[in-house]
Amino acid sequence: MGETEETLKKWSQLVAQAWADEKLKQQLMDNPIQVLQKHGIDVPAGVDIRVVENTDKVTYLTLPTKPSGGVTELTSGQLAGVGAGAGWCACNVCCCYDPTCIVIGPVTIVTLPKR
């Protein structure tokens, strides 16, 4: 298992624990770096981490950092594929190995299947 996959697995386990343990959830939101490190998730020095929780009335979207060195342009076909799906996900890490993923620098656009 690669480092990214291992980190995602640890994060998923931590999320599940936080859902079950209100105290842990609050610690994660108040002191995320300390809790992440305690659960074996490396945090690069100098990086500030903020944890927020979606609710039934508020959803947070994270705008990924713009890639350095310019942004690779999507072809019209790639744009149509993203727009034609039922939804999409832009993330800094892609671990799905889906051939429909479009990698743009450090950001991956994943088209989700129509529902």
Side-chain angles (χ1 to χ4, degrees), residues 5-110:
E5 290 176 75
E6 186 64 31
T7 299
L8 289 173
K9 180 179 177 182
K10 289 177 183 178
W11 171 246
S12 297
Q13 291 169 342
L14 179 55
V15 168
Q17 290 173 11
W19 284 339
D21 182 343
E22 190 66 33
K23 184 178 175 184
L24 175 61
K25 180 177 86 170
Q26 195 59 53
Q27 289 172 343
L28 179 60
M29 295 179 77
D30 293 343
N31 301 301
I33 293 174
Q34 181 182 24
V35 174
L36 291 169
Q37 290 173 337
K38 183 178 176 181
H39 285 83
I41 300 172
D42 293 327
V43 178
V47 173
D48 184 27
I49 304 286
R50 297 181 188 167
V51 176
V52 294
E53 181 180 24
N54 289 338
T55 69
D56 58 340
K57 303 235 185 265
V58 178
T59 299
Y60 295 91
L61 299 176
T62 302
L63 184 61
T65 305
K66 182 178 177 181
S68 60
V71 176
T72 304
E73 292 187 22
L74 298 177
T75 66
S76 59
Q78 290 170 322
L79 284 171
V82 171
W88 54 271
C89 170
C91 55
N92 291 333
V93 179
C94 182
C95 61
C96 66
Y97 308 106
D98 186 326
T100 64
C101 292
I102 304 165
V103 178
I104 308 170
V107 176
T108 303
I109 306 284
V110 180

